[in-house]
Amino acid sequence: MFKNTFQSGFLSILYSIGSKPLQIWQKKVENGHIKRIMDGDMQSSVIEIAGHNVSNTYISCPENPNETLGIKMPYLVLLIKYMKKYFTFEVQVRDDKDVKRRFRASNYQSNTRVKPFICTIPMKLDEGWNQIHFNLTDFTRRAYGSNYLETLRVQIHANCRIRRIYFTDQLLSSNKLPDEYRAFSNVNNENNTNSGNMGNMGGMNSNSNSNNMNMNEMEDMGSNMNMNVNNMDNNEMMNEEDGN
């Protein structure tokens, strides 16, 4: 999809304020909804994904299941609102062994598990808006001992609200980001930014203003994986054994 596109700086795949924010996304809804609503904390329109079972309500990019994103940028950034319910997202990548791997982060499991084609990661988010920085190069190397080449697909499940999802070639501090990429460019940051966590087996660190998902330690298949997440605001289970 973006394989032949020059990739530098920022590459956004979802922006809730756009005229057609889900134009390149496949949508699946069962006992829930996917819609654009006004968020009071963000003071703008956002995409809300809500469902009784997280596995049955989600958005997936690209829309065509036979296409891939072809994004080579190493950092995935998600601006997500935690709704105090089960939530998971998934990223599929290809490494230099020409193997497709999936990373699934969720807030309903407690242990990191590494299998040949999927790595599941526990996640802890604070109430409100969280900005997640996912270092794809680091995760691929530490989980599989291989080099990250490209992202093939991104899938966001219930339950959450989304402001923006984008890739970047380097992480910048909030004051160096363009206004449209900041969490609260038009909201008082002091009132809306608190530190939060994305959990891991050994515990997750948190930093205010930005959420970094970094893998610090992994031990064979009983891995130790650290992910840092920051909370930007005052703030049903998927089968994690599934390898599909």
Side-chain angles (χ1 to χ4, degrees):
M1 191 172 189
F2 295 100
K3 190 171 186 177
N4 297 321
T5 302
F6 177 70
Q7 300 177 20
S8 179
F10 304 96
L11 200 168
S12 185
I13 59 173
L14 191 157
Y15 184 39
S16 63
I17 298 179
S19 59
K20 296 180 179 180
L22 297 176
Q23 185 174 14
I24 62 173
W25 292 78
Q26 177 191 25
K27 298 172 284 293
K28 181 182 178 182
V29 180
E30 186 175 314
N31 296 323
H33 65 258
I34 298 171
K35 61 184 180 181
R36 183 154 60 175
I37 65 168
M38 179 64 67
D39 181 81
D41 297 323
M42 190 62 72
Q43 297 182 10
S44 71
S45 298
V46 299
I47 301 298
E48 181 174 86
I49 305 175
H52 179 67
N53 189 319
V54 297
S55 64
N56 296 331
T57 300
Y58 61 84
I59 58 175
S60 183
C61 185
E63 180 181 21
N64 186 337
N66 296 319
E67 290 185 343
T68 61
L69 285 169
I71 296 176
K72 295 178 172 58
M73 291 177 164
Y75 296 102
L76 172 64
V77 182
L78 308 93
L79 185 52
I80 300 288
K81 188 172 189 178
Y82 175 46
M83 306 302 293
K84 298 182 180 180
K85 296 180 179 180
Y86 287 141
F87 163 63
T88 183
F89 72 89
E90 188 173 295
V91 185
Q92 184 184 58
V93 306
R94 182 173 68 88
D95 63 15
D96 63 352
K97 296 179 181 178
D98 200 28
V99 177
K100 296 178 181 179
R101 319 279 193 183
R102 288 188 298 146
F103 295 99
R104 180 186 297 161
S106 63
N107 68 344
Y108 49 73
Q109 64 183 89
S110 57
N111 295 324
T112 298
R113 299 180 182 181
V114 180
K115 296 185 177 182
F117 304 108
I118 185 169
C119 175
T120 58
I121 309 160
M123 174 173 59
K124 182 179 182 296
L125 297 172
D126 283 346
E127 179 183 357
W129 286 95
N130 294 262
Q131 184 169 292
I132 304 166
H133 295 166
F134 199 139
N135 186 332
L136 297 163
T137 299
D138 191 49
F139 269 68
T140 304
R141 177 175 56 84
R142 292 183 181 269
Y144 295 107
S146 57
N147 296 313
Y148 164 79
L149 292 185
E150 62 177 341
T151 295
L152 304 176
R153 178 166 295 274
V154 175
Q155 196 157 291
I156 312 295
H157 289 254
N159 292 273
C160 69
R161 290 181 181 179
I162 309 168
R163 164 75 167 190
R164 187 188 284 275
I165 300 173
Y166 66 94
F167 289 82
T168 183
D169 50 14
Q170 61 178 322
L171 294 179
L172 300 176
S173 59
S174 180
N175 61 347
K176 293 182 180 179
L177 284 172
D179 286 344
E180 63 270 24
Y181 284 87
R182 294 179 186 175
F184 290 95
S185 58
N186 61 343
V187 182
N188 186 333
N189 241 1
E190 293 181 359
N191 294 333
N192 294 285
T193 304
N194 300 304
S195 61
N197 300 320
M198 284 192 69
N200 65 17
M201 189 164 119
M204 238 174 144
N205 300 327
S206 62
N207 300 316
S208 59
N209 298 329
S210 64
N211 313 327
N212 300 318
M213 295 176 63
N214 296 318
M215 213 182 278
N216 288 346
E217 296 181 74
M218 298 191 66
E219 301 173 359
D220 302 322
M221 299 298 285
S223 55
N224 236 351
M225 188 179 295
N226 278 357
M227 305 197 298
N228 301 329
V229 179
N230 293 329
N231 175 268
M232 308 303 297
D233 193 5
N234 56 346
N235 225 203
E236 294 248 8
M237 193 175 299
M238 175 185 273
N239 182 0
E240 64 192 59
E241 298 295 328
D242 177 22
N244 299 321

